[in-house]
Amino acid sequence: MNHPDLAANLLSGYMQLMLHLVAPMEVTKVMMQAVAGIIGAVNNTTGVVGVAPNCKIIPIRINYITNNDPYGNWSQNGNGICVDDWMADGIRKAWSVYGADILNFSWNFPYFTLGNQQYNPPPTAITNAINEAATQRRGGKGCIIINSTGNGGFADIAYPSYLANVVAVGAITPCGKLKIKNGPCAKGTSADWGSNYHHYGVSGGGGYDYNVNFVAPGVAVATTDLTGSAGYNNGSTDYTFFSGTSAATPFASGVAALVLSVNPNLSRNNVRAIMEKSAQKLSGYTFSNNGSRSGTFHQEVGCGLINADSSVKEAKKTLIKAMYEAEEVEEASSTKLYSNNPNPFSQSTEIGFYISEAVAQATLLFYNLLGEKIMEIDVSERGYSSFMVSADEFKPGMYIYTLFLSMDK
């Protein structure tokens, strides 16, 4: 994985199955490269930029595809090597040895589904490894484990996405609709795949959750390709267009990385809840409350389309709350305005605040020392939040700021 868009962000990884190979075989890393590019391709003015371009990637190989089959046909048809214990060991090493905080799987076993009794129950070794990562990493805060729902196009989320400790990500088209088989708005990708979604009439419990958490783009996503002839494009370019729920999943992993970058003390459930609450509602779907989700929900697209900007803002609110909660704000009725940081400042400064939901209108007012108002900003956020002020808005000097509140609806 020596792509110029990825090299700076790659840490040492682990090829689990290499320990067990006894003969040469054809191996591909093409899908792994495409997924990595969506998560963390660097911003170097060429090619593509990942969702989290400053976050590091740890490549862990837990499956090998053979017989020149780069498209992920697993061991049931003879083209892949996939052993439960080896995969479980790779998952454990990802967090316990290499220090991963987020596990992006972008793989699943389509034959371990609720509707396919032939292969049930799912592999215990892999399930145990996933649950350990979710509960033991980061001092018990857990790894955020994110996986694709599967490309079968039916109401049956593939394993391990339906585990309660795994965040399940579906794929939408550029038209903002769930990708369905032979459906519209799928230019640049094969028509014969669809994003799996919730199994109707089945609830969770017992370590399972059959609902989609949210969706992300999954059709013709521009990303990195293997350099040279081994890539999807056979060396004609070092970039490719990648489709499927495996392309949607790294969007979510990148957003989770951004959220943890803002507040690394969040638990895996905190991160999931922030991303659910911040998801953008899609037109054409009716969203309603769901007890297992932190935002309103639809069975096909979960809480909606992941939203990086809103997720980061929500994460920042948790950080502000942690900074100031020692002051014991009475959240039901109080409003607090905090000192700007840094102070003094030469480029920008951040003003933290808490505004009660009971406040109808809030305005941040700035005055010079002569008492002259020089700027006012309407504040729409409620609860803990903050506002960034640029030095470009002011002449050098000292200023006073205050909040003006109206309780009238």
Side-chain angles (χ1 to χ4, degrees):
M1 297 179 72
N2 59 351
H3 197 289
D5 281 2
L6 288 172
N9 277 346
L10 287 178
L11 302 179
S12 297
Y14 177 60
M15 292 195 289
Q16 163 63 26
L17 302 189
M18 190 61 74
L19 301 177
H20 305 279
L21 297 181
V22 295
M25 60 169 36
E26 184 73 18
V27 177
T28 179
K29 298 180 289 184
V30 63
M31 180 175 170
M32 191 174 176
Q33 183 98 327
V35 168
I38 297 171
I39 296 173
V42 299
N43 187 3
N44 57 4
T45 72
T46 62
V48 296
V49 180
V51 177
N54 295 320
C55 293
K56 302 302 181 183
I57 297 171
I58 305 166
I60 304 290
R61 182 88 64 81
I62 57 175
N63 176 71
Y64 276 74
I65 309 301
T66 64
N67 295 346
N68 296 312
D69 179 5
Y71 296 103
N73 294 311
W74 298 87
S75 55
Q76 71 267 28
N77 65 7
N79 287 335
I81 294 179
C82 176
V83 178
D84 294 354
D85 289 341
W86 300 356
M87 295 186 74
D89 187 53
I91 292 169
R92 289 191 178 94
K93 281 187 169 63
W95 65 271
S96 65
V97 176
Y98 293 90
D101 294 326
I102 299 166
L103 302 183
N104 182 101
F105 284 170
S106 282
W107 57 264
N108 51 61
F109 292 149
Y111 41 90
F112 287 120
T113 59
L114 183 68
N116 193 340
Q117 298 301 320
Q118 179 181 356
Y119 292 98
N120 281 332
T124 301
I126 298 175
T127 299
N128 289 344
I130 289 171
N131 291 338
E132 289 169 14
T135 55
Q136 297 181 24
R137 173 64 178 150
R138 300 191 304 127
K141 294 182 177 68
C143 280
I144 298 91
I145 305 169
I146 303 178
N147 196 20
S148 53
T149 58
N151 297 330
F154 44 78
D156 210 352
I157 294 176
Y159 175 87
S161 293
Y162 59 68
L163 296 180
N165 287 332
V166 176
V167 176
V169 183
I172 60 167
T173 70
C175 296
K177 303 297 182 184
L178 185 76
K179 173 62 175 72
I180 61 175
K181 285 188 175 183
N182 303 309
C185 200
K187 183 178 180 180
T189 184
S190 172
D192 62 353
W193 70 273
S195 180
N196 291 4
Y197 51 97
H198 171 75
H199 193 98
Y200 287 89
V202 178
S203 59
Y208 299 99
D209 184 342
Y210 296 102
N211 291 319
V212 179
N213 291 84
F214 31 70
V215 293
V219 173
V221 178
T223 185
T224 50
D225 197 8
L226 281 182
T227 56
S229 60
Y232 283 119
N233 291 313
N234 298 316
S236 61
T237 174
D238 293 337
Y239 301 91
T240 191
F241 291 99
F242 184 45
S243 296
T245 53
S246 289
T249 301
F251 276 101
S253 295
V255 173
L258 295 176
V259 169
L260 276 188
S261 296
V262 172
N263 188 352
N265 292 317
L266 294 170
S267 71
R268 62 177 178 84
N269 283 329
N270 292 152
V271 174
R272 173 189 58 79
I274 285 173
M275 294 173 69
E276 290 174 349
K277 179 181 178 181
S278 303
Q280 176 184 335
K281 304 310 174 187
L282 298 168
S283 62
Y285 298 93
T286 301
F287 293 82
S288 58
N289 291 323
N290 179 296
S292 65
R293 294 291 178 266
S294 296
T296 54
F297 172 87
H298 186 277
Q299 301 215 33
E300 292 184 4
V301 296
C303 293
L305 174 64
I306 57 169
N307 187 314
D309 182 61
S310 295
S311 294
V312 168
K313 288 178 178 177
E314 285 296 320
K316 204 162 193 177
K317 290 180 182 180
T318 67
L319 194 61
I320 295 168
K321 182 176 182 180
M323 290 170 59
Y324 299 120
E325 64 185 359
E327 298 190 20
E328 297 182 353
V329 174
E330 181 58 45
E331 297 188 3
S333 59
S334 298
T335 295
K336 293 285 186 179
L337 183 62
Y338 301 103
S339 299
N340 60 298
N341 182 39
N343 185 16
F345 66 99
S346 59
Q347 294 183 339
S348 63
T349 189
E350 185 174 28
I351 300 173
F353 56 82
Y354 175 88
I355 300 177
S356 168
E357 294 288 346
V359 173
Q361 183 175 359
T363 306
L364 191 60
L365 303 172
F366 294 84
Y367 299 88
N368 61 23
L369 294 186
L370 296 176
E372 299 169 334
K373 184 173 69 173
I374 60 171
M375 185 169 64
E376 65 177 66
I377 301 169
D378 289 332
V379 181
S380 60
E381 293 88 349
R382 295 296 180 265
Y384 288 96
S385 191
S386 65
F387 184 82
M388 295 298 298
V389 177
S390 172
D392 295 337
E393 304 285 345
F394 302 89
K395 295 178 180 179
M398 296 180 65
Y399 297 88
I400 299 169
Y401 60 89
T402 188
L403 269 175
F404 177 81
L405 307 176
S406 172
M407 305 300 288
D408 295 330
K409 296 293 185 179

